[in-house]
Amino acid sequence: MIVGAGFAGSVLAERLARGLNKRVLVVERRAHIGGNAYDHHDRHGILVHRYGPHIFHTNSAEIFDYLSQFTEWRQYQHRVKACVDGRLVPIPINLDTVNQLYGLRLDPEGMRAYLAKVAEPRPEVKTSEDVVVKGVGRELYEKFFRGYTRKQWGLDPSELDAQVTARVPLRFNRDDRYFTDTHQAMPARGFTHLFENMLDHPNIKVMLNTDYREVRHEIEYGALIFTGPVDEFFDHRFGRLPYRCLEFRHETHFKPVFQSAPVINYPNEYAYTRVTEFKYLTGQEHPHTSVVYEYPRADGDPYYPIPRPDNAALYKRYQELAEQTPDVHFVGRLATYRYYNMDQVVGQALTLFGKIAGLSRADALAAAAVAT
Ligand code: FAD
Ligand code: UDP
């Protein structure tokens, strides 16, 4: 039995069914497959991501090849602008960001010299504040990172591990792409279509609208794979692991284009963090356009583990318990309390499959990539 039909659950269902000829039951409490990567056509016929923008990117050829069995791709390089001081400038911060913001004409060397003057020395980089002020100094930190992070996480960057803001690089050239991975693409017919293909096997049964807790005593199974929140599995016995929640406000506008970039970040104004216009991501042609606003919340569905030391310590206690629980495997962003992208979750699931099948990680990846 597999709990959750997101990337973690669906990859394992596919691998166990096709690779080991196991019979798999996937139980999913939502009304659809795909987890947070779920997309669908809204009532105006525009393909939207219900749970916020999902852009696939990876440096792993094996993971890309594996997923390519279930979808064709649309090449897509993601670009984001931040609204700062009334202007829309590129984020990650690059040469153009600094020049546009300060009316300068620096070249890459000039930008290095400029930032060297304003950057604050931090012998030890521990927090999300350290990463940014060490790279770009306090002023740019305050313009681009402090407000956004406080909104997104309900915490100051100084209270979050370095890995959070370290996701956003600093560039001394004019490259304004959000990611630089070797593979960057969107599933040509959407993520849900990819999941449908992955789960399309006679050995796989999917039960939607079903919480694992409702059926756990009704169904006999050999082993369990759990991809929901790990603390929930153990009835929060050591206390609740904090997850950051989001509320999504979807809107359709009756004009072809709404904003000048696929995503616009609002670090300093408004209660929302960013606005995404889906047609840029999907390439869909349509006379109207749909967008989503993201409002961070303390309560609601869990979306993000919150990387900070006390949470890591609490997770460790659950992890130890998980390791001592026979015939249950924990995998995915919520079950292993890791701020993972989709490709990392796919990699983690393939590694677990290898372990179950008695293969090395390399052999599991190679087998998965030539599976069908
Ligand atoms: P999920 O997708 O959360 O799937 C877990 C599933 O388990 C859910 O469907 C849930 O309903 C189900 N479940 C939980 N508990 C139970 C239960 N008790 N019974 C039954 N079912 C249960 N990654 C990228 O690579 N690129 C991006 O651009 C990107 N953008 C993102 C934007 C946002 C706003 C968010 C929140 C995440 C983004 N991610 C992105 C991360 C990506 O969503 C995750 O890495 C990936 O979806 C995690 O897959 P998963 O299977 O671990 O978890
Ligand atoms: N961040 C920020 N300002 C930005 C973009 C990102 O402060 O304009 C910080 C913020 O803390 C955010 C983190 O960097 O949560 C990671 O950004 P990313 O875009 O990777 O977030 P995700 O897409 O995972 O929500």
Side-chain angles (χ1 to χ4, degrees), residues 153-169:
W153 300 94
L155 293 168
D156 190 79
S158 60
E159 299 172 290
L160 282 164
D161 288 357
Q163 53 155 299
V164 176
T165 52
R167 289 167 62 88
V168 184

Side-chain angles (χ1 to χ4, degrees), residues 144-145 148-149 152-153 164 167-168 178 265 274 304 339:
F144 287 88
F145 287 90
Y148 188 106
T149 301
Q152 169 72 10
W153 300 94
V164 176
R167 289 167 62 88
V168 184
Y178 207 66
N265 289 355
R274 60 186 175 187
Y304 291 84
Y339 189 178

Side-chain angles (χ1 to χ4, degrees), residues 115-131:
L115 292 186
K117 265 190 270 164
V118 296
E120 287 183 13
R122 293 277 156 129
E124 224 189 336
V125 174
K126 279 194 171 160
T127 72
S128 271
E129 179 187 284
D130 296 338
V131 177

Side-chain angles (χ1 to χ4, degrees), residues 281-292:
L281 277 54
T282 60
Q284 185 180 4
E285 290 192 18
H286 196 286
H288 307 142
T289 190
S290 292
V291 300
V292 68

Side-chain angles (χ1 to χ4, degrees), residues 2-10 27-38 49 51-57 78 152 167 179 191 195 207 209-214 226-229 232-233 244 246 248 274 281 294 301-304 331-336 338-346 348:
I2 297 182
V3 180
F7 266 106
S10 299
V27 292
E28 167 56 62
R29 66 181 165 200
R30 287 172 169 163
H32 57 75
I33 57 173
N36 288 337
Y38 172 72
H49 299 181
Y51 307 102
H54 280 71
I55 296 104
F56 186 79
H57 56 101
H78 191 48
Q152 169 72 10
R167 289 167 62 88
F179 310 112
F191 284 101
F195 282 99
M207 267 170 88
N209 300 307
T210 307
D211 196 302
Y212 155 71
R213 287 166 300 189
E214 293 169 48
F226 188 80
T227 76
E232 190 186 295
F233 182 88
R244 192 67 173 157
L246 290 175
F248 300 97
R274 60 186 175 187
L281 277 54
E294 291 172 54
D301 283 349
Y303 289 101
Y304 291 84
V331 58
R333 179 151 148 150
L334 305 172
T336 60
R338 292 203 171 87
Y339 189 178
Y340 269 174
N341 295 324
M342 293 182 279
D343 65 320
Q344 295 171 299
V345 170
V346 173
Q348 193 190 37

Side-chain angles (χ1 to χ4, degrees), residues 84-85 101-102 114 118 120 133 136-145:
V84 169
D85 295 345
L101 213 55
Y102 295 116
Y114 177 83
V118 296
E120 287 183 13
V133 295
V136 299
R138 188 148 296 270
E139 189 169 297
L140 288 168
Y141 160 73
E142 282 179 359
K143 285 184 193 295
F144 287 88
F145 287 90

Side-chain angles (χ1 to χ4, degrees), residues 271-319:
Y272 48 83
T273 49
R274 60 186 175 187
V275 182
T276 300
E277 183 167 2
F278 290 108
K279 286 200 309 184
Y280 285 101
L281 277 54
T282 60
Q284 185 180 4
E285 290 192 18
H286 196 286
H288 307 142
T289 190
S290 292
V291 300
V292 68
Y293 294 75
E294 291 172 54
Y295 294 85
R297 298 277 186 253
D299 299 308
D301 283 349
Y303 289 101
Y304 291 84
I306 305 178
R308 45 180 272 122
D310 49 354
N311 298 348
L314 179 55
Y315 168 64
K316 201 158 175 281
R317 297 184 68 194
Y318 281 111
Q319 186 184 17

